[in-house]
Amino acid sequence: PFDVLIVGMGPAGCSAAVYAARKGLRTALVGELFGGQVLDTGEIDNLIPIPKIQGSGLAAQLKQDVELYPVHVMANQRAAQLVPGGKPGALHAVKLESGATVKARTVIAATGARWRKLGCKGEETYLTHGVAYCPHCDGPFFKGRPVAVAGGGNSGVEAAIDLANICSHVTLLQRGPELKADQVLQDALYKLPNVKVLTNATPEEVKGDGTNMTGLDWTDRTDGSVKHLDVDALFVQIGLLPNSAWVKDAVELNKMGEIVINECGATSIPGVFGAGDVASTPYKQIIISMGSGATAALAAFDYMIRTPTP
Ligand code: FAD
């Protein structure tokens, strides 16, 4: 068995692997591909102290960093189920979709999250060339330019307020007849001079020149007519789905489906830790995920030196 089994090979999992291996722990890293969501990212400008790096470059760098240490990497594998050890100190088991079972004294869940997609035409074509999911990450790329936001919940309205500060104009599209965000956010939004809210509005097709997005067709649900917006970006803010199905029967999740962790990354099950976007940590960013992966690995080490095996 391993001392630490880390599931997920994104920034959180890779950082946890490096920290665990540097503690001299027998470390295994299971997941699909090195990089996680970073593989879907174009340019990253907010990973201090690297001024600019492509997502693919960062994914390759994560792999190189992990490979500097004696980490047992099991790539192209997905975890199907966590079976907790029962007694404190007992081995936990992770069943893989391949049918294999891997056992370890501690498990770090770092399986990340995925943005809920609109599913409209052009969304995939112009992903990272106008279609974006993260205003903190991609907002500054559209400084001084007109953009749209899809989603009238808290994250959509927060994104619109944030982008209004950077972009020339923001159009917020809400599918239903009214915004769902907290009133205080709506009040802040309606005070902004460069924001327009469209209700009963469904994004229909992201338009572009083959390389970059140039506009958005949307349907006015009150009369079914299709209208057009000249915008350079569409920020999709209709939910972030944590990849927590494989632990849902074992550890406590919050109402968003995130693994509930404390400040050390500990979950409701002793010896099982959570890190990164799959966990209840606020603000989903690379630098934050890496920090929480490091925290979880150090906490796993602490747990092990204090918990005898039965
Ligand atoms: P992830 O990166 O999601 O990695 C988790 C990995 O686990 C994935 O490979 C996933 O496929 C895998 N996995 C899922 N389920 C299982 C399972 N059952 N078994 C095994 N493996 C599984 N952040 C920034 O800081 N700056 C940016 O500029 C930026 N731009 C972004 C642009 C885009 C398009 C996207 C989508 C995100 C962006 N982010 C950015 C957010 C950032 O990528 C995430 O916060 C970060 O990758 C989270 O790291 P993580 O390791 O927690 O999870």
Side-chain angles (χ1 to χ4, degrees):
F2 294 98
D3 291 327
V4 188
L5 170 61
I6 300 152
V7 185
M9 289 166 45
C14 292
S15 154
V18 168
Y19 267 75
R22 288 175 61 89
K23 282 282 169 198
L25 302 175
R26 282 166 300 163
T27 305
L29 179 62
V30 178
E32 294 177 303
L33 293 169
F34 274 102
Q37 290 170 67
V38 163
L39 286 171
D40 296 333
T41 308
E43 188 176 293
I44 299 158
D45 287 5
N46 57 0
L47 181 59
I48 292 124
I50 304 167
K52 272 188 202 315
I53 187 166
Q54 293 297 312
S56 53
L58 179 60
Q61 190 63 57
L62 288 172
K63 180 169 186 281
Q64 270 183 34
D65 280 358
V66 169
E67 286 175 351
L68 290 175
Y69 296 93
V71 174
H72 187 92
V73 177
M74 291 173 255
N76 302 310
Q77 297 284 345
R78 284 182 58 84
Q81 195 192 354
L82 169 68
V83 183
K87 291 195 274 279
L91 291 178
H92 301 297
V94 172
K95 292 185 182 167
L96 304 183
E97 285 180 0
S98 65
T101 297
V102 188
K103 292 192 171 174
R105 291 180 66 195
T106 62
V107 172
I108 299 176
T111 40
R114 58 200 190 277
W115 297 92
R116 194 193 293 272
K117 308 233 158 145
L118 283 166
C120 73
K121 273 172 77 180
E123 184 180 21
E124 293 294 333
T125 316
Y126 293 104
L127 177 70
T128 78
H129 292 272
V131 177
Y133 296 86
C134 173
H136 318 297
C137 316
D138 296 347
F141 294 136
F142 300 97
K143 188 167 186 236
R145 292 153 68 186
V147 302
V149 173
N154 281 343
S155 46
V157 172
E158 277 168 14
I161 294 170
D162 173 5
L163 293 166
N165 221 5
I166 303 169
C167 305
S168 60
H169 189 270
V170 180
T171 309
L172 178 78
L173 295 94
Q174 158 70 338
R175 203 168 176 274
E178 59 201 27
L179 297 181
K180 297 275 182 229
D182 297 344
Q183 195 57 47
V184 46
L185 291 174
Q186 294 193 35
D187 294 347
L189 182 78
Y190 282 116
K191 283 201 189 109
L192 297 170
N194 60 338
V195 174
K196 183 172 181 190
V197 175
L198 301 172
T199 52
N200 294 303
T202 314
E204 207 57 58
E205 181 171 357
V206 177
K207 297 285 197 179
D209 60 11
T211 307
N212 292 313
M213 172 175 175
T214 54
L216 177 70
D217 283 354
W218 60 280
T219 302
D220 183 341
R221 286 155 54 93
T222 55
D223 60 8
S225 61
V226 176
K227 297 177 176 163
H228 181 80
L229 284 171
D230 282 323
V231 284
D232 292 346
L234 171 65
F235 287 83
V236 181
Q237 295 289 308
I238 55 171
L240 185 67
L241 306 170
N243 299 318
S244 58
W246 66 283
V247 294
K248 73 174 179 0
D249 298 328
V251 302
E252 185 191 344
L253 305 182
N254 65 18
K255 66 177 189 327
M256 272 96 78
E258 297 166 339
I259 300 172
V260 176
I261 59 166
N262 70 7
E263 68 279 11
C264 292
T267 68
S268 56
I269 299 288
V272 177
F273 300 83
D277 281 12
V278 76
S280 55
T281 334
Y283 311 120
K284 312 301 188 191
Q285 292 284 278
I286 297 164
I287 199 162
I288 293 170
S289 294
M290 286 180 173
S292 75
T295 303
L298 296 177
F301 175 76
D302 251 5
Y303 167 84
M304 262 180 287
I305 58 174
R306 287 178 168 77
T307 315
T309 36

